[in-house]
Amino acid sequence: MNQIRTGGLKKSIMDYGLKGESIICFAGEDWWYHHPHSKNHILRRLARDNKVLFVNSLTLGLPSVSNKDFFLKISRKLKSYLRWLRRVPDGLYVMTPIVLPFFGSRALRWINQHLLLIQMRLAMFFLGIRNPILWVAIPSAADVAQRLQTKILLYQVSDKYDANEDSALSRDVIRTLDQRLKNLADVVMYSGRKLFEESHVPHRYFLEQAVDFAHFAEPAPEAAPDAVVIPHPVLGYLGALDYVMDVPLIEEVAKRRRDWHWMLVGLRSNLVRIDAPNVHFLGPKPYSELPAYVRQT
Protein backbone atom coordinates (compact mmCIF):
# COMPACT_ATOMS: atom_id res chain seq x y z
CA MET A 1 0.00 0.00 0.00
CA ASN A 2 1.52 3.30 -1.08
CA GLN A 3 0.36 6.63 0.31
CA ILE A 4 0.33 10.15 -1.04
CA ARG A 5 -0.69 13.37 0.68
CA THR A 6 -3.11 15.75 -1.01
CA GLY A 7 -4.35 18.89 0.70
CA GLY A 8 -3.32 17.60 4.10
CA LEU A 9 -5.21 14.32 3.65
CA LYS A 10 -3.46 11.01 3.24
CA LYS A 11 -4.75 8.98 0.32
CA SER A 12 -3.94 5.38 -0.38
CA ILE A 13 -3.02 3.90 -3.73
CA MET A 14 -3.59 0.18 -3.69
CA ASP A 15 -0.70 -1.93 -4.92
CA TYR A 16 -2.13 -5.39 -5.57
CA GLY A 17 1.30 -6.93 -6.07
CA LEU A 18 0.22 -8.52 -9.36
CA LYS A 19 2.42 -7.68 -12.32
CA GLY A 20 2.99 -9.03 -15.81
CA GLU A 21 -0.12 -11.22 -15.82
CA SER A 22 -3.00 -11.56 -18.27
CA ILE A 23 -6.45 -11.17 -16.72
CA ILE A 24 -9.85 -11.78 -18.29
CA CYS A 25 -12.99 -10.78 -16.42
CA PHE A 26 -16.47 -11.94 -17.44
CA ALA A 27 -18.39 -9.15 -15.75
CA GLY A 28 -22.01 -8.96 -14.73
CA GLU A 29 -22.43 -5.46 -16.13
CA ASP A 30 -21.76 -3.50 -19.31
CA TRP A 31 -18.77 -1.16 -19.19
CA TRP A 32 -20.41 1.30 -21.57
CA TYR A 33 -23.76 1.72 -19.82
CA HIS A 34 -23.75 0.58 -16.22
CA HIS A 35 -22.31 2.35 -13.22
CA PRO A 36 -18.79 1.16 -12.37
CA HIS A 37 -18.81 -1.74 -9.92
CA SER A 38 -15.96 -2.92 -7.72
CA LYS A 39 -14.58 -4.97 -10.62
CA ASN A 40 -14.18 -1.84 -12.74
CA HIS A 41 -12.20 -0.06 -10.04
CA ILE A 42 -9.98 -3.05 -9.27
CA LEU A 43 -9.31 -3.87 -12.92
CA ARG A 44 -8.42 -0.27 -13.73
CA ARG A 45 -5.70 -0.49 -11.10
CA LEU A 46 -4.56 -3.93 -12.23
CA ALA A 47 -4.30 -2.68 -15.83
CA ARG A 48 -1.36 -0.48 -14.82
CA ASP A 49 0.91 -3.52 -14.59
CA ASN A 50 -1.07 -6.29 -16.30
CA LYS A 51 -2.88 -7.02 -19.55
CA VAL A 52 -6.61 -6.85 -18.80
CA LEU A 53 -9.63 -7.81 -20.90
CA PHE A 54 -13.02 -6.82 -19.49
CA VAL A 55 -15.83 -8.84 -21.09
CA ASN A 56 -19.21 -7.15 -20.88
CA SER A 57 -22.13 -9.03 -19.38
CA LEU A 58 -23.32 -12.10 -21.25
CA THR A 59 -26.66 -11.49 -19.50
CA LEU A 60 -28.78 -14.08 -17.74
CA GLY A 61 -31.23 -13.98 -20.61
CA LEU A 62 -33.69 -11.34 -21.74
CA PRO A 63 -36.42 -10.04 -19.47
CA SER A 64 -39.95 -10.89 -20.56
CA VAL A 65 -41.44 -8.82 -23.39
CA SER A 66 -43.89 -7.34 -20.89
CA ASN A 67 -41.00 -5.87 -18.89
CA LYS A 68 -40.91 -2.08 -19.26
CA ASP A 69 -37.14 -2.22 -19.84
CA PHE A 70 -37.28 -4.86 -22.59
CA PHE A 71 -36.68 -2.55 -25.57
CA LEU A 72 -34.28 -0.34 -23.62
CA LYS A 73 -32.09 -3.36 -22.84
CA ILE A 74 -32.22 -4.58 -26.46
CA SER A 75 -31.18 -1.15 -27.72
CA ARG A 76 -28.28 -0.84 -25.28
CA LYS A 77 -26.99 -4.33 -26.03
CA LEU A 78 -27.07 -3.76 -29.81
CA LYS A 79 -25.07 -0.54 -29.40
CA SER A 80 -22.61 -2.39 -27.19
CA TYR A 81 -22.22 -5.13 -29.83
CA LEU A 82 -21.18 -2.49 -32.37
CA ARG A 83 -18.17 -1.62 -30.22
CA TRP A 84 -17.08 -5.27 -29.94
CA LEU A 85 -13.45 -4.80 -28.82
CA ARG A 86 -12.10 -1.42 -27.76
CA ARG A 87 -9.19 -0.10 -25.75
CA VAL A 88 -10.27 2.40 -23.10
CA PRO A 89 -8.18 5.24 -21.61
CA ASP A 90 -7.59 3.26 -18.42
CA GLY A 91 -5.26 0.96 -20.37
CA LEU A 92 -7.47 -2.11 -20.49
CA TYR A 93 -9.57 -3.61 -23.27
CA VAL A 94 -13.35 -3.91 -23.22
CA MET A 95 -15.16 -6.52 -25.30
CA THR A 96 -18.82 -7.17 -26.00
CA PRO A 97 -18.96 -10.66 -27.52
CA ILE A 98 -21.87 -11.31 -29.84
CA VAL A 99 -24.05 -14.09 -28.45
CA LEU A 100 -27.67 -15.13 -28.56
CA PRO A 101 -29.44 -13.79 -25.45
CA PHE A 102 -30.88 -17.23 -24.70
CA PHE A 103 -29.37 -19.67 -22.22
CA GLY A 104 -32.44 -21.74 -21.40
CA SER A 105 -31.80 -24.69 -23.73
CA ARG A 106 -28.72 -26.87 -24.11
CA ALA A 107 -28.73 -26.40 -27.88
CA LEU A 108 -28.63 -22.61 -27.63
CA ARG A 109 -26.01 -22.73 -24.89
CA TRP A 110 -23.91 -24.98 -27.16
CA ILE A 111 -24.18 -22.41 -29.96
CA ASN A 112 -23.29 -19.59 -27.57
CA GLN A 113 -20.35 -21.54 -26.20
CA HIS A 114 -18.83 -21.89 -29.66
CA LEU A 115 -19.63 -18.31 -30.64
CA LEU A 116 -17.92 -17.15 -27.48
CA LEU A 117 -14.91 -19.40 -27.85
CA ILE A 118 -14.25 -18.21 -31.39
CA GLN A 119 -14.46 -14.56 -30.36
CA MET A 120 -12.51 -15.01 -27.14
CA ARG A 121 -9.67 -16.88 -28.84
CA LEU A 122 -9.54 -14.26 -31.58
CA ALA A 123 -9.37 -11.44 -29.02
CA MET A 124 -6.78 -13.31 -26.94
CA PHE A 125 -4.63 -13.87 -30.03
CA PHE A 126 -4.92 -10.22 -31.03
CA LEU A 127 -4.04 -9.01 -27.51
CA GLY A 128 -1.34 -11.61 -26.87
CA ILE A 129 -3.17 -13.18 -23.92
CA ARG A 130 -2.18 -16.72 -22.96
CA ASN A 131 -3.02 -18.77 -19.88
CA PRO A 132 -4.89 -15.91 -18.18
CA ILE A 133 -6.22 -15.45 -14.69
CA LEU A 134 -9.97 -15.80 -15.25
CA TRP A 135 -12.39 -13.79 -13.12
CA VAL A 136 -16.04 -14.76 -13.62
CA ALA A 137 -18.88 -12.73 -12.15
CA ILE A 138 -21.91 -14.08 -14.00
CA PRO A 139 -23.24 -17.68 -14.16
CA SER A 140 -23.87 -17.58 -17.93
CA ALA A 141 -20.09 -17.64 -18.49
CA ALA A 142 -19.87 -21.17 -17.08
CA ASP A 143 -19.74 -22.96 -20.44
CA VAL A 144 -16.93 -20.87 -21.91
CA ALA A 145 -15.01 -20.74 -18.61
CA GLN A 146 -14.86 -24.53 -18.66
CA ARG A 147 -13.25 -24.51 -22.12
CA LEU A 148 -10.64 -21.79 -21.70
CA GLN A 149 -7.15 -22.76 -20.56
CA THR A 150 -6.47 -20.61 -17.51
CA LYS A 151 -3.90 -20.17 -14.78
CA ILE A 152 -6.56 -19.80 -12.10
CA LEU A 153 -10.34 -19.45 -12.09
CA LEU A 154 -11.92 -17.04 -9.64
CA TYR A 155 -15.72 -16.91 -9.31
CA GLN A 156 -17.24 -13.85 -7.68
CA VAL A 157 -20.74 -14.27 -6.25
CA SER A 158 -22.30 -10.88 -5.63
CA ASP A 159 -25.98 -11.77 -5.73
CA LYS A 160 -28.49 -14.57 -5.30
CA TYR A 161 -28.64 -15.06 -9.05
CA ASP A 162 -31.57 -17.47 -9.13
CA ALA A 163 -33.72 -14.80 -7.45
CA ASN A 164 -33.08 -12.36 -10.30
CA GLU A 165 -36.42 -10.80 -11.30
CA ASP A 166 -34.89 -9.13 -14.33
CA SER A 167 -34.54 -12.29 -16.41
CA ALA A 168 -36.93 -14.78 -17.96
CA LEU A 169 -34.31 -17.54 -17.60
CA SER A 170 -35.35 -20.51 -15.49
CA ARG A 171 -34.12 -20.47 -11.90
CA ASP A 172 -33.11 -24.13 -12.23
CA VAL A 173 -30.83 -23.29 -15.17
CA ILE A 174 -29.25 -20.39 -13.26
CA ARG A 175 -28.67 -22.61 -10.21
CA THR A 176 -27.06 -25.28 -12.41
CA LEU A 177 -24.68 -22.79 -14.05
CA ASP A 178 -23.88 -21.20 -10.69
CA GLN A 179 -23.07 -24.56 -9.09
CA ARG A 180 -20.91 -25.62 -12.02
CA LEU A 181 -18.78 -22.49 -11.62
CA LYS A 182 -18.44 -23.10 -7.89
CA ASN A 183 -17.19 -26.60 -8.65
CA LEU A 184 -14.79 -25.39 -11.35
CA ALA A 185 -13.38 -22.39 -9.49
CA ASP A 186 -10.12 -22.42 -7.58
CA VAL A 187 -11.45 -19.56 -5.46
CA VAL A 188 -15.04 -18.45 -4.81
CA MET A 189 -15.44 -14.90 -3.50
CA TYR A 190 -18.61 -13.64 -1.86
CA SER A 191 -19.32 -9.93 -1.56
CA GLY A 192 -22.38 -10.44 0.64
CA ARG A 193 -22.01 -11.72 4.20
CA LYS A 194 -25.32 -13.61 4.16
CA LEU A 195 -24.43 -15.37 0.89
CA PHE A 196 -21.02 -16.25 2.31
CA GLU A 197 -22.45 -17.66 5.54
CA GLU A 198 -25.07 -19.71 3.69
CA SER A 199 -22.48 -21.24 1.36
CA HIS A 200 -20.87 -24.63 1.94
CA VAL A 201 -18.14 -24.19 -0.68
CA PRO A 202 -14.85 -25.06 1.08
CA HIS A 203 -12.66 -22.74 -1.02
CA ARG A 204 -14.72 -19.61 -0.38
CA TYR A 205 -13.64 -16.19 0.84
CA PHE A 206 -15.53 -13.13 1.99
CA LEU A 207 -14.69 -9.93 0.10
CA GLU A 208 -16.78 -7.24 1.74
CA GLN A 209 -18.15 -4.31 -0.23
CA ALA A 210 -16.14 -1.14 0.23
CA VAL A 211 -15.84 2.45 -0.90
CA ASP A 212 -13.32 4.29 -3.05
CA PHE A 213 -11.96 6.14 -0.02
CA ALA A 214 -9.49 8.31 -1.90
CA HIS A 215 -12.24 9.52 -4.23
CA PHE A 216 -14.76 10.52 -1.57
CA ALA A 217 -12.75 11.27 1.58
CA GLU A 218 -11.94 14.85 0.65
CA PRO A 219 -15.13 16.95 0.23
CA ALA A 220 -15.76 18.62 -3.10
CA PRO A 221 -15.25 22.41 -2.92
CA GLU A 222 -18.89 22.97 -3.85
CA ALA A 223 -22.04 21.06 -4.70
CA ALA A 224 -22.98 20.31 -8.31
CA PRO A 225 -25.15 23.02 -9.94
CA ASP A 226 -28.19 20.75 -10.35
CA ALA A 227 -27.84 19.50 -6.76
CA VAL A 228 -27.29 22.77 -4.94
CA VAL A 229 -30.83 23.93 -5.77
CA ILE A 230 -32.36 21.01 -3.84
CA PRO A 231 -33.48 22.19 -0.36
CA HIS A 232 -32.21 20.50 2.78
CA PRO A 233 -32.58 18.01 4.35
CA VAL A 234 -31.44 15.89 1.42
CA LEU A 235 -31.58 12.09 1.25
CA GLY A 236 -28.98 11.21 -1.36
CA TYR A 237 -28.61 8.02 -3.37
CA LEU A 238 -25.92 7.30 -5.97
CA GLY A 239 -26.32 4.14 -8.03
CA ALA A 240 -28.58 2.12 -10.29
CA LEU A 241 -32.29 2.83 -10.04
CA ASP A 242 -33.91 -0.41 -11.10
CA TYR A 243 -36.19 -3.27 -10.06
CA VAL A 244 -34.47 -3.71 -6.69
CA MET A 245 -35.67 -0.27 -5.55
CA ASP A 246 -38.60 -0.23 -3.14
CA VAL A 247 -40.56 2.38 -5.08
CA PRO A 248 -43.74 2.21 -2.93
CA LEU A 249 -41.65 2.83 0.19
CA ILE A 250 -39.98 5.92 -1.32
CA GLU A 251 -43.36 7.21 -2.47
CA GLU A 252 -44.87 6.73 0.98
CA VAL A 253 -41.98 8.42 2.81
CA ALA A 254 -41.96 11.28 0.30
CA LYS A 255 -45.68 11.76 0.89
CA ARG A 256 -45.44 11.69 4.69
CA ARG A 257 -42.32 13.85 4.95
CA ARG A 258 -42.69 16.50 2.28
CA ASP A 259 -39.85 18.50 3.82
CA TRP A 260 -37.40 15.68 3.04
CA HIS A 261 -35.94 15.86 -0.45
CA TRP A 262 -34.71 12.78 -2.28
CA MET A 263 -31.74 13.28 -4.61
CA LEU A 264 -31.44 10.20 -6.82
CA VAL A 265 -28.37 10.08 -9.04
CA GLY A 266 -27.95 7.24 -11.50
CA LEU A 267 -29.21 5.35 -14.51
CA ARG A 268 -32.97 4.93 -14.10
CA SER A 269 -35.00 1.95 -15.20
CA ASN A 270 -38.44 2.44 -16.71
CA LEU A 271 -39.70 0.49 -13.70
CA VAL A 272 -38.84 3.38 -11.38
CA ARG A 273 -41.49 6.06 -11.74
CA ILE A 274 -42.20 8.42 -8.84
CA ASP A 275 -44.17 11.62 -9.28
CA ALA A 276 -43.53 13.76 -6.22
CA PRO A 277 -42.22 17.34 -5.90
CA ASN A 278 -39.63 16.30 -3.32
CA VAL A 279 -38.15 13.42 -5.34
CA HIS A 280 -35.45 14.62 -7.74
CA PHE A 281 -34.05 12.36 -10.47
CA LEU A 282 -30.77 13.87 -11.67
CA GLY A 283 -29.77 11.10 -14.08
CA PRO A 284 -26.38 9.38 -14.45
CA LYS A 285 -23.25 11.43 -13.77
CA PRO A 286 -19.56 10.88 -14.51
CA TYR A 287 -17.80 9.11 -11.67
CA SER A 288 -15.38 12.01 -11.28
CA GLU A 289 -18.29 14.35 -10.44
CA LEU A 290 -19.97 12.23 -7.75
CA PRO A 291 -18.25 13.91 -4.76
CA ALA A 292 -19.97 17.16 -5.78
CA TYR A 293 -23.34 15.43 -5.33
CA VAL A 294 -22.34 13.91 -2.00
CA ARG A 295 -21.50 17.46 -0.91
CA GLN A 296 -25.20 18.40 -1.05
CA THR A 297 -26.35 15.65 1.31
Side-chain angles (χ1 to χ4, degrees), residues 27 39 43 105 193:
K39 293 179 290 298
L43 289 168
S105 77
R193 186 175 295 277

Side-chain angles (χ1 to χ4, degrees), residues 38-57:
S38 57
K39 293 179 290 298
N40 303 56
H41 297 294
I42 293 171
L43 289 168
R44 280 188 172 105
R45 289 164 171 79
L46 287 173
R48 296 168 186 162
D49 300 301
N50 302 277
K51 193 171 293 182
V52 176
L53 175 60
F54 183 99
V55 182
N56 281 329
S57 174

Side-chain angles (χ1 to χ4, degrees), residues 31-271:
W31 181 279
W32 307 117
Y33 297 106
H34 293 132
H35 300 298
H37 293 203
S38 57
K39 293 179 290 298
N40 303 56
H41 297 294
I42 293 171
L43 289 168
R44 280 188 172 105
R45 289 164 171 79
L46 287 173
R48 296 168 186 162
D49 300 301
N50 302 277
K51 193 171 293 182
V52 176
L53 175 60
F54 183 99
V55 182
N56 281 329
S57 174
L58 302 178
T59 80
L60 285 173
L62 291 172
S64 65
V65 180
S66 61
N67 188 297
K68 293 180 180 179
D69 284 337
F70 180 81
F71 292 104
L72 174 65
K73 288 178 178 290
I74 292 289
S75 173
R76 284 205 306 240
K77 182 56 75 174
L78 289 175
K79 290 176 182 177
S80 191
Y81 281 157
L82 292 175
R83 287 172 164 165
W84 198 61
L85 180 64
R86 300 284 178 93
R87 190 176 190 273
V88 294
D90 303 274
L92 50 79
Y93 289 84
V94 176
M95 179 183 183
T96 308
I98 299 171
V99 295
L100 302 174
F102 308 104
F103 293 87
S105 77
R106 288 185 179 180
L108 290 173
R109 286 205 304 274
W110 184 88
I111 293 172
N112 276 334
Q113 181 189 90
H114 286 79
L115 278 173
L116 268 170
L117 279 172
I118 291 169
Q119 294 173 83
M120 290 303 302
R121 285 171 177 164
L122 183 62
M124 290 168 68
F125 174 78
F126 175 72
L127 300 178
I129 292 177
R130 297 179 62 187
N131 200 31
I133 295 170
L134 187 61
W135 180 353
V136 177
I138 189 166
S140 50
D143 290 327
V144 70
Q146 192 169 3
R147 296 289 300 276
L148 289 175
Q149 184 177 354
T150 62
K151 178 177 287 189
I152 188 172
L153 173 57
L154 182 153
Y155 180 37
Q156 180 183 0
V157 181
S158 57
D159 205 349
K160 192 172 178 60
Y161 298 116
D162 59 350
N164 188 352
E165 299 174 11
D166 202 32
S167 169
L169 188 60
S170 159
R171 292 188 176 191
D172 288 338
V173 172
I174 295 175
R175 276 193 289 266
T176 299
L177 296 172
D178 174 67
Q179 189 58 52
R180 192 192 309 169
L181 278 168
K182 288 172 180 173
N183 294 338
L184 286 170
D186 299 288
V187 175
V188 179
M189 293 193 311
Y190 287 88
S191 48
R193 186 175 295 277
K194 189 171 188 296
L195 291 171
F196 173 77
E197 291 173 348
E198 290 176 348
S199 173
H200 299 291
V201 178
H203 48 292
R204 71 189 190 280
Y205 295 86
F206 179 49
L207 183 68
E208 195 163 15
Q209 297 285 9
V211 66
D212 187 349
F213 179 81
H215 190 55
F216 291 99
E218 191 169 350
E222 57 186 18
D226 55 345
V228 74
V229 296
I230 300 174
H232 284 92
V234 174
L235 304 176
Y237 172 81
L238 313 177
L241 302 160
D242 54 23
Y243 68 96
V244 300
M245 302 288 289
D246 193 335
V247 173
L249 176 62
I250 297 174
E251 288 178 321
E252 183 64 24
V253 174
K255 181 180 178 181
R256 293 191 180 200
R257 296 303 303 263
R258 297 183 186 275
D259 58 320
W260 291 1
H261 286 261
W262 296 73
M263 181 183 70
L264 306 175
V265 178
L267 192 65
R268 178 165 56 144
S269 159
N270 291 324
L271 300 171

Side-chain angles (χ1 to χ4, degrees), residues 12-36:
S12 298
I13 299 176
M14 182 64 71
D15 179 4
Y16 293 101
L18 197 64
K19 301 181 189 297
E21 298 286 353
S22 292
I23 303 167
I24 297 176
C25 176
F26 283 96
E29 65 274 6
D30 192 298
W31 181 279
W32 307 117
Y33 297 106
H34 293 132
H35 300 298

